[in-house]
Amino acid sequence: MAAISYRRTNHSVDYDDPTDPFAELLRPPPDETPAQTTARLKRESDAQRISDEIDEDIRVQKSLAKKESNVVKVLLLGQAESGKSTTLKNFRMRYAVTAWEQERNGWRAVVQLNLIRSIMTILSVIETELNLHGVKESGVVPGSSQEAEVRRYGSTQDDEPDSPDSPSASTTLHSLSYDHDPQYRFTDHHQLLLIRLAPLRTVEANLKRWLGQGSEPVPTRNHLPMSATPFDTPTPPESGLERRKNEFAVRCWRDIVIPDSRRAENGERNSSVHGGPDFESCTITIASCRNDMKALWEDRVVQKALEKRRVRLPDSAGFFLNELDRIATRDYIVTDDDIVRARLKTVGIQEYKVRFKNAPLDAPRVDGAWEWRIFDVGGCRTMRHAWLPFFENTNCIIFLCPVSCFDERLEEDPRVNRLEDSTLLWKSICQTKLLKKTQLILFMNKCDLLKRKLKSGVKLKDYLTSYGERPNEVMSVVKYLREKFKEILKTYSPEPRASYIYPTTVTDTSATAKTLESVRDGVLRENLMKSQLM
């Protein structure tokens, strides 16, 4: 840098100064020609320009590093369908209002796809029941999206699909018997509903194409290696696990709700306003089928069939199906509750900035606001190995455990109980030295579904023997599980740290808003303590 400094002040250098060690090196040759002088000055000018660029880059990097030190890096972790994306939506709805409103209409097609997928699942069950009356083969077309939905949501909870003595998903479709109770017999009315709702199959395909055109292709993940924790070496799935089909997925919400510039460059329609004729035809078809969809959902025989087959519709299915009068219309406007409940599987890493402009005075600020950078990473076992690089310089981890899933199994590995999987993940996060300085926050999520499940008669002790004879009530269960998770944190943490455990229902936006405020204040306290300001 000293030589560069002399270049900058070349014209003021005293070449005859004996105390200057660089004077002799910088002295022009005595026999320098005018052409050589011009070339030398050009070289010095270029060197000066490069030096200035390097210094400017260093200045910018220092400025960014200073800003980055004030940014809170937050990871949302948990198994698939634990509520990570819904938690991120709550953060953005409350603290990134402008961007949230810009994206609102982009969720319209996602909500409609959620609605249609639930209807298709129900129709698949009816087709199966109708064909079992004298027809051995199922009415579900092999390889269709309907078959995929029945495979995903239609298997019984007591079955072990991968054990030698249990039937496969396809065999289950044919093996279940139907009670010939006249009150619950399918009639020509149901066959007519199948015919009248058939156009929704085309709508489903069109919506998937619509949503998929804004994102990169998602590879099939049936044969990808899996790991129980991010610290385990991924291993190939055992034979039989790869038969399960994947639901429709995209890389990132941003591809869907905020169309990138490629669409505009290619002259394609803008899905943020959904103004193309293809999308309008989907909306018109859905509106024309509204009464038939209501008749299907409210039919006692259909409800009995779903109960008999223990069909597990997506958590949000009941909400959307009960809102058909509002959603299945040509002038449908997306609400906050719709967006929070809309299920759209993502297989990429989502990164969003949240800026708290009304943060406490002690909060470190970036351009006048306290900035959080929130990362939502995929929770499936095929994706957990990708968590590791994000642990570096992480300030806070919000871990979501769906406590209502104590009687369910992982979609990607049906041998594993979902609550057991979450417990194993929580333990691995608590005990790793990589995160010993990271604040850990646990959301015991889906408490509303837990309450509903316990009231229906499902007993926790049948799946978690250590629960014993404690009351099969939501408060008792939450208290028991909370102490379990707290004990894991205390036992396995490399260093003592405070526990932040919240029972949550992240689809309840009002209650979640209060929880997020508590989380924000807790993160600030931790940061101030680490900065020795408290």
Side-chain angles (χ1 to χ4, degrees), residues 141-170:
V141 178
S144 66
S145 60
Q146 291 82 6
E147 183 194 36
E149 293 294 329
V150 171
R151 287 182 188 275
R152 181 164 186 257
Y153 299 116
S155 58
T156 62
Q157 294 174 350
D158 293 336
D159 286 340
E160 294 276 349
D162 294 285
S163 63
D165 299 328
S166 64
S168 65
S170 59

Side-chain angles (χ1 to χ4, degrees), residues 121-380:
T121 302
I122 298 173
L123 292 179
S124 299
V125 173
I126 296 177
E127 288 178 343
T128 302
E129 291 285 359
L130 288 173
N131 282 281
L132 284 176
H133 293 273
V135 181
K136 294 183 179 180
E137 294 298 324
S138 167
V140 181
V141 178
S144 66
S145 60
Q146 291 82 6
E147 183 194 36
E149 293 294 329
V150 171
R151 287 182 188 275
R152 181 164 186 257
Y153 299 116
S155 58
T156 62
Q157 294 174 350
D158 293 336
D159 286 340
E160 294 276 349
D162 294 285
S163 63
D165 299 328
S166 64
S168 65
S170 59
T171 305
T172 304
L173 289 175
H174 307 293
S175 62
L176 293 177
S177 62
Y178 183 76
D179 297 331
H180 295 280
D181 187 335
Q183 294 184 14
Y184 298 108
R185 186 188 296 270
F186 285 97
T187 65
D188 292 342
H189 168 68
H190 299 97
Q191 290 182 323
L192 181 61
L193 282 178
L194 287 176
I195 296 172
R196 292 173 63 88
L197 293 174
L200 294 181
R201 291 190 171 97
T202 302
V203 172
E204 180 187 25
N206 288 340
L207 287 174
K208 288 180 178 179
R209 282 196 295 270
W210 177 279
L211 295 171
Q213 70 172 302
S215 61
E216 300 177 34
V218 178
T220 302
R221 297 185 172 268
N222 293 340
H223 302 282
L224 291 183
M226 297 190 297
S227 59
T229 76
F231 311 103
D232 297 336
T233 302
T235 56
E238 294 186 11
S239 177
L241 296 183
E242 61 273 356
R243 74 168 182 268
R244 291 183 168 239
K245 295 181 180 293
N246 292 313
E247 66 175 298
F248 175 77
V250 297
R251 293 284 184 186
C252 179
W253 293 343
R254 193 176 284 106
D255 296 337
I256 304 304
V257 298
I258 304 180
D260 57 26
S261 59
R262 288 178 300 168
R263 289 189 176 179
E265 292 172 356
N266 296 334
E268 298 179 16
R269 58 188 180 277
N270 187 339
S271 68
S272 66
V273 296
H274 291 154
D278 290 342
F279 182 81
E280 285 305 316
S281 68
C282 291
T283 302
I284 293 171
T285 302
I286 292 172
S288 65
C289 293
R290 179 177 68 250
N291 292 333
D292 290 325
M293 287 190 287
K294 287 182 63 178
L296 180 75
W297 176 238
E298 296 170 357
D299 190 279
R300 289 192 308 159
V301 181
V302 172
Q303 292 295 332
K304 182 68 174 180
L306 296 176
E307 179 184 348
K308 273 174 48 61
R309 288 182 172 273
R310 298 182 183 180
V311 174
R312 186 173 69 89
L313 292 170
D315 296 337
S316 59
F319 174 81
F320 291 131
L321 290 169
N322 289 331
E323 294 286 329
L324 278 166
D325 283 332
R326 178 176 60 85
I327 297 174
T329 59
R330 296 184 63 174
D331 56 353
Y332 163 56
I333 298 176
V334 185
T335 66
D336 289 343
D337 285 338
D338 294 341
I339 300 175
V340 167
R341 287 172 170 81
R343 165 73 179 166
L344 181 62
K345 183 177 180 179
T346 55
V347 295
I349 307 298
Q350 299 194 90
E351 176 185 350
Y352 284 94
K353 293 181 181 179
V354 173
R355 296 172 58 80
F356 300 92
K357 294 185 178 180
N358 297 322
L361 295 177
D362 293 334
R365 295 177 182 267
V366 177
D367 297 329
W370 190 27
E371 183 176 309
W372 286 21
R373 196 163 299 160
I374 305 177
F375 296 85
D376 176 12
V377 296
C380 180

